[in-house]
Every structure is written in C-alpha cells, then in structure tokens.
C-alpha cells in the first residue's frame, strides 16, 4: 500500500493527504511500491521523469518540469586519483535541488495547493521559486541574512516573496515553521515528496555507469537531502534486483558546523547544543538538521563515513577544482576537501557531484581568491 508514514510513531496517512508532517510532529517518509522496466526507461526523454514509475505523482498533466537532468559525468583526475565529477550545477536553477523540486511542486499542483513557503540558505529557495513560477503557485521564501546576494536576487527574480531573517539558518527555519501552521510547507528537509525527486540522482548515475553503482560517492552534508535521496534511490534499485550492493557514501561537514559528525562520532542520541560558527560552505551550515536521526540511521546501515574539513581545506579544494575548469560554489568544494582526507583503493569508481554553480556565489569566491 502506498502511504505517507511517520518516521517516529509509524502512523500512516494517504499519499494525497495535504500534510507535510505527522500529527505527532515528526517528519514523514513515503512508502511507494513500483517496478522498474529498463526497456521502457531507455526509450524515454533524458530527464528525471524517465523514472516515471518511481515517482508518486498520479497524473502526468500535473508534472512541472523544465526537461531537467541527465547531468554529465566527467572522468578526471584529482588528488592523483581517477574520479568522476557529476555536473549537478547544470540544472535549470544551477543546483541539484531541482531534482527534488520538480517532484515536490508537481505534487503541490496535484493537491490543488495555491501558496507555499520554504526556508533555505539559497539553492532550495531559488529552485522552489522557479518551479512555483512555472506552476503559477505563490511562493514565500525565508532566508538567513548571510545568504549570497546572487542567490537572493535569483529567488526574487522568479517572483517569489523574500523574507530575510537575521542571524542564523535555524532562525529562518523557525520563522518558516511558524508560518507553515497556515501555509503548505514546501520544505527540502521536511517534505517527503522532495526526496522522491532526489533519488533520481542514483537512478541516473546507475544508468551512466552501465547499470552499476559506483564504489564511493562523496557529498556535502547539511540537511541531508542528497544523502537521503541517494540512499532511497539505490535501495529501490536493490529491491528491484537491479543492483547487488549499495555504494559507500562519504558525507562531509565543515568543522565549523558539524552537528551530525559530532552526533555520530560521540554516539549521541540527540543533536548537540554547540554554538557552531559560520562556514564558507554555506549550504552545509545547518546546526539542527531535522532528519539528523534518520541520517545517522542510514549511515550505520550502509557503513557510511562522516568526516569534517577546515575552512582552509575547503578554500584550497575550491581553488584546485576551479583550476581544473569547474566553477563550483564553496559548498560543493567541501566534498573535494573531504575526499583528500580519505583513502580509496585502486580501480575504485568514485563519484563527486558539483551540487551548486559557482556563478551563484561569485561575490564570495572573488573575496576568497583575493586572500
Ligand atoms: Zn508520528
């Protein structure tokens, strides 16, 4: 049976219930049964909707899409090792978040919702704003004051209403949460439909690697949207007997803001109350990730690693990857900095996505390069 299911109390709801959290206050996941037909998939357009059976949107007429995806996978060398860089910055709004947004906003349209809110340090906000513009849905975005000017302008350019909240990312999340008492919360961390789009990252990678999983994927870790999406995708492939093992995932946090790393390494049952500092990897600056326990649970199931890197290491990696011809935001550079601290074996297939475009943070990159 297809359902929304609570991550804490196991209560179930219909997929078409207009809700983004459980009555108990916890996050929801989606139970969705489907089967993959490779022959059918291979005949379809190269966008995330080629995996149509896996996406819990009922009617095709509700799909909000820019024909996005099938981002290039580029073989190159970094830190004297062969890696594949997946160019996720080439999505319509310049970040990987469009995967989740296309599915979420399609479902919002299907549910007949006319107005949404979201909170974001920038990329998810831009993404939700763009897809709402295409769908004709009113959109309110709560952002922390420190977000990059390029991202704020991008959000406004799509006609979304911007709410600047002083101080931290969490303050923006709190403001959005209280507004979400009355308006549907199109959140990239709360809303379970978002993750149903993120999982297409895995399907696509599997196709690009001749229907295999890579050995290792290195990603930034903030709210865990990509991590949870990757896990769901490969788990679906495993369940459909199209894969024999899950990839190893290395998730990277900035030492300046590493709540999930601390929770895992010190075996804490709750998020720590540390006063974290800001980081140039702004997309990972999430001090209270709402799905932290779920992330820890996934990492223990797949024997994943969470590691931390310093600001200096992020800056160095950013410069190095730019010199290879890739223009990436500092949040994406965190993965490359983390990769340098790990050991991999020869012939391992390693994938590192560039999650956001450098053009979004040119002001910050300019300041870093001057130093
Ligand atoms: Zn519940």
């Amino acid at each position: 049976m297809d359902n929304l299911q609570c991550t804490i109390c196991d209560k179930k709801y219909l997929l078409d219930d207009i809700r983004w959290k459980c009555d108990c206050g916890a996050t929801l996941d989606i139970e969705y049964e489907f089967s993959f037909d490779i022959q059918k998939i291979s005949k379809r357009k190269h966008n995330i909707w080629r995996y149509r059976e896996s996406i819990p949107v009922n009617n095709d007429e509700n799909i909000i899409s820019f024909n996005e995806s099938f981002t290039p996978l580029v073989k190159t060398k970094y830190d004297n090792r062969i890696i594949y860089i997946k160019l996720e910055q080439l999505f319509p709004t310049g970040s990987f978040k469009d995967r989740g947004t296309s599915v979420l906003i399609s479902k919002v349209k299907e549910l007949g919702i006319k107005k949404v809110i979201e909170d974001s340090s920038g990329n998810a906000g831009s993404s939700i704003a763009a897809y709402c513009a295409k769908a004709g849905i009113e959109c309110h975005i709560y952002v922390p004051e420190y977000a990059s000017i390029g991202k704020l302008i991008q959000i406004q350019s799509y006609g979304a209403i911007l709410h600047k909240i002083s101080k931290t990312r969490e303050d923006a999340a709190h403001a959005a949460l209280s507004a979400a008492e009355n308006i549907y919360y199109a959140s990239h961390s709360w809303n379970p439909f978002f993750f149903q789009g993120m999982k297409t990252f895995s399907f696509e990678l599997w196709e690009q690697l001749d229907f295999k999983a890579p050995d290792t994927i290195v990603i930034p870790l903030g709210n865990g949207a990509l991590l949870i999406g990757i896990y769901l995708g490969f788990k679906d492939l495993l369940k459909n007997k199209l894969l024999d093992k899950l990839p190893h995932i290395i998730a990277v946090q900035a030492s300046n803001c590493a709540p999930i790393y601390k929770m895992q390494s010190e075996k804490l049952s709750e998020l720590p109350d540390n006063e974290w500092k800001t980081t140039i990897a702004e997309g990972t600056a999430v001090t209270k990730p709402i799905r932290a326990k779920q992330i820890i649970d996934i990492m223990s199931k797949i024997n994943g690693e969470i590691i931390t890197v310093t600001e200096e290491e992020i800056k160095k990696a950013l410069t190095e990857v730019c010199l290879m011809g890739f223009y990436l935001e500092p949040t994406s550079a965190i993965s490359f900095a983390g990769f340098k601290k790990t050991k991999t074996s020869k012939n391992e297939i390693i994938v590192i996505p560039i999650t956001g475009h450098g053009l979004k943070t040119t002001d910050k990159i300019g300041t870093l390069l001057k130093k």
Side-chain angles (χ1 to χ4, degrees):
M1 179 70 183
D2 303 332
N3 284 305
L4 293 168
Q5 182 170 15
C6 179
T7 52
I8 300 292
C9 74
D10 286 338
K11 189 165 176 183
K12 292 180 190 213
Y13 304 91
L14 295 176
L15 270 187
D16 287 342
D17 266 14
I18 300 182
R19 61 166 56 246
W20 50 269
K21 64 174 178 180
C22 180
D23 284 339
C24 79
T27 50
L28 296 168
D29 277 343
I30 288 176
E31 279 187 340
Y32 194 63
E33 292 293 326
F34 67 92
S35 58
F36 254 108
D37 184 336
I38 297 176
Q39 300 299 330
K40 259 194 204 168
I41 291 169
S42 58
K43 287 184 189 133
R44 293 176 182 154
K45 283 184 191 167
H46 285 89
N47 64 40
I48 66 163
W49 293 90
R50 72 198 259 110
Y51 311 108
R52 184 69 186 91
E53 291 79 6
S54 77
I55 300 176
V57 168
N58 303 327
N59 298 319
D60 284 359
E61 63 191 31
N62 294 320
I63 292 175
I64 305 296
S65 166
F66 291 94
N67 257 332
E68 60 286 287
S69 196
F70 241 78
T71 59
L73 192 62
V74 184
K75 191 175 182 180
T76 186
K77 213 171 191 184
Y78 183 68
D79 193 42
N80 273 321
R81 289 178 274 178
I82 299 289
I83 62 164
Y84 291 84
I85 300 184
K86 190 154 171 60
L87 306 186
E88 294 282 285
Q89 81 275 31
L90 299 184
F91 270 95
T93 74
S95 94
F96 71 110
K97 295 267 167 63
D98 292 352
R99 291 184 185 278
T101 305
S102 180
V103 172
L104 172 55
I105 298 304
S106 298
K107 193 66 196 179
V108 164
K109 188 183 174 214
E110 184 156 276
L111 294 170
I113 294 162
K114 305 284 185 229
K115 185 174 171 181
V116 300
I117 57 163
E118 155 73 318
D119 62 283
S120 159
S121 62
N123 282 338
S126 299
S127 183
I128 297 281
Y131 283 77
C132 279
K134 194 166 197 302
I137 291 166
E138 187 181 320
C139 178
H140 293 257
I141 307 287
Y142 288 71
V143 293
E145 228 164 30
Y146 65 78
S148 296
I149 186 73
K151 291 179 179 176
L152 300 184
I153 292 171
Q154 190 183 2
I155 291 170
Q156 284 176 302
S157 74
Y158 296 126
I161 299 138
L162 199 63
H163 302 262
K164 273 193 195 176
I165 307 297
S166 59
K167 295 182 191 163
T168 68
R169 177 73 187 73
E170 263 54 50
D171 293 325
H174 282 308
L177 261 177
S178 58
E181 292 299 320
N182 303 309
I183 309 170
Y184 189 75
Y185 197 16
S187 165
H188 62 291
S189 48
W190 276 92
N191 201 299
F193 287 99
F194 191 84
F195 301 94
Q196 296 297 307
M198 293 312 303
K199 67 185 185 182
T200 60
F201 177 93
S202 303
F203 302 157
E204 198 175 296
L205 195 51
W206 164 76
E207 272 200 83
Q208 288 174 317
L209 294 171
D210 290 329
F211 306 102
K212 283 191 213 82
D215 297 293
T216 301
I217 307 175
V218 192
I219 55 169
L221 180 59
N223 266 314
L226 185 56
L227 171 69
I228 297 170
I230 288 174
Y231 171 70
L232 291 177
F234 282 114
K235 203 174 70 156
D236 279 345
L237 292 171
L238 204 63
K239 202 172 160 189
N240 277 273
K241 299 190 172 49
L242 294 165
L243 208 64
D244 50 15
K245 68 170 177 68
L246 295 171
H248 179 57
I249 298 178
I250 299 169
V252 192
Q253 297 213 288
S255 337
N256 275 3
C257 185
I260 305 182
Y261 167 78
K262 190 171 164 74
M263 202 174 156
Q264 191 202 43
S265 58
E266 296 178 17
K267 297 189 169 45
L268 307 175
S269 57
E270 298 294 332
L271 279 164
D273 279 326
N274 290 48
E275 287 283 327
W276 298 104
K277 295 186 208 144
T278 56
T279 166
I280 55 166
E282 62 183 22
T284 65
V286 186
T287 59
K288 299 278 181 196
I290 191 70
R291 290 181 183 261
K293 286 181 185 170
Q294 188 174 9
I295 292 166
I296 299 281
D297 184 47
I298 289 173
M299 289 310 255
S300 67
K301 276 184 190 148
I302 62 170
N303 201 18
E305 269 176 85
I306 304 175
I307 58 173
T308 60
V309 292
T310 65
E311 296 299 291
E312 279 311 308
E313 287 167 333
I314 302 169
K315 281 180 212 169
K316 190 157 189 287
L318 176 71
T319 310
E320 288 165 352
V321 181
C322 283
L323 286 171
M324 290 159 63
F326 301 92
Y327 198 42
L328 70 172
E329 63 169 331
T331 302
S332 303
I334 201 172
S335 310
F336 292 88
F339 172 66
K340 286 170 81 175
K341 294 178 120 174
T342 62
K343 283 199 168 52
T344 47
S345 49
K346 219 183 162 194
N347 300 325
E348 216 174 284
I349 295 176
I350 300 151
V351 174
I352 308 181
I354 292 180
T355 48
H357 209 299
L359 289 172
K360 285 171 172 263
T361 53
T362 284
D363 53 330
K364 287 194 174 165
I365 295 174
T367 315
L368 293 174
L369 295 181
K370 271 186 214 150
K371 284 177 186 168

